[in-house]
Amino acid sequence: MRLSLVLAATLLTTAALTATAVTAPDARASPAPRRAPSQPSLPPADTPLPERMADTGGGDQLITAEAPATTSTTGTVTWWDRREGHWVAAGSAKARFGAGGLVAGRKREQGTSTTPAGVYAMPYAFGIERAPAGTLYGYRPVTDDSWWCQDNDSVSYNRWVEGLPDDCRASRAEHMADYGQQYARGLVIGFNYDRPVRGRGAGIFLHVNGKGATAGCVSVPAGTMSAILSWADPVRAPHIAIGTATGPTAITDIVGDGHTARQRAARKAS
């Protein structure tokens, strides 16, 4: 009797273990599926351009000058206000760029008629004509003695001078009064301005259209230039961002003097 009970208990235990082995999942044979790595979410296509940019200069006003490609000589200028954390377009117009297209500002060479891509401050305004109503920027009147020195051997390189200095040759300077149409009104673009690098280029402005492509500046219709000067408020630290729709000088990725955000991050990490 006792032996029969022991045998019955043993059979029941064996059956239970067998059932468990059959029904329990084999962790080694069926590993838990891995989660796909998260992908960075892209902003919607209708997101305002400044909100897709790596660098807007830090102010509450921005001018974007965007060309389709580095070989382009035309594109679009848009001026923006930041309100309650979002960018709103205040106006837009067709623009012209250098006859040589666009190039990253850090790679630009003087005399190439290329427009330097990058994000730049705008130190002051100027013009042969009077400043339009509402202008808040410091506005320098162009006189017959006004020159922009582009002589690499001069201490006044990439500077406005009243009266040509002895060390700045007239053949390597721009007599501003000679450009009655283009320099009717304009804004200085701070390319190569704070610490000028000889040979990189001088005299880059946002100014009124001439007959065609520029020598490296950004130009817009006369009415647009007047509207921008009436809109721009130096207290709000406006900058101009120049770049292309895609490629290595894409306006969404360009920072400072024409580096991309990735290049700047790599430099900081090295």
Side-chain angles (χ1 to χ4, degrees), residues 67-270:
T70 54
T71 55
S72 303
T73 59
T74 60
T76 303
V77 157
T78 306
W79 51 109
W80 307 80
D81 290 295
R82 189 166 64 172
R83 302 173 184 167
E84 298 180 353
H86 294 284
W87 288 96
V88 179
S92 186
K94 293 182 179 179
R96 297 174 183 172
F97 299 94
L102 287 80
V103 68
R106 62 193 172 85
K107 294 182 177 180
R108 187 180 189 272
E109 296 180 3
Q110 188 162 326
T112 56
S113 293
T114 50
T115 298
V119 182
Y120 307 105
M122 294 177 290
Y124 57 89
F126 66 91
I128 294 171
E129 297 182 8
R130 291 183 178 181
T135 299
L136 298 175
Y137 252 88
Y139 192 88
R140 286 192 178 185
V142 174
T143 74
D144 195 50
D145 289 328
S146 299
W147 295 77
W148 197 277
C149 183
Q150 300 179 358
D151 191 332
N152 284 283
D153 297 327
S154 174
V155 296
S156 300
Y157 178 70
N158 202 20
R159 285 293 184 273
W160 176 305
V161 291
E162 282 295 315
L164 201 60
D166 291 339
D167 70 343
C168 185
R169 290 163 282 187
S171 60
R172 300 187 182 182
E174 199 167 71
H175 187 225
M176 301 183 72
D178 291 345
Y179 299 87
Q181 184 173 341
Q182 295 94 322
Y183 295 166
R185 287 171 177 152
L187 272 163
V188 174
I189 295 175
F191 164 72
N192 199 32
Y193 190 78
D194 289 338
R195 292 180 294 277
V197 176
R198 265 63 179 173
R200 185 163 289 176
I204 301 298
F205 313 127
L206 173 64
H207 63 68
V208 175
N209 283 339
K211 292 182 179 180
T214 73
C217 297
V218 180
S219 72
V220 292
T224 298
M225 192 68 245
S226 296
I228 289 173
L229 286 172
S230 297
W231 158 85
D233 183 353
V235 173
R236 300 179 66 191
H239 285 67
I240 185 168
I242 304 168
T244 52
T246 59
T249 52
I251 199 168
T252 51
D253 198 35
I254 210 81
V255 298
D257 59 357
H259 283 85
T260 66
R262 290 184 291 273
Q263 289 167 336
R264 184 64 56 85
R267 288 178 65 191
K268 288 183 178 179
S270 62

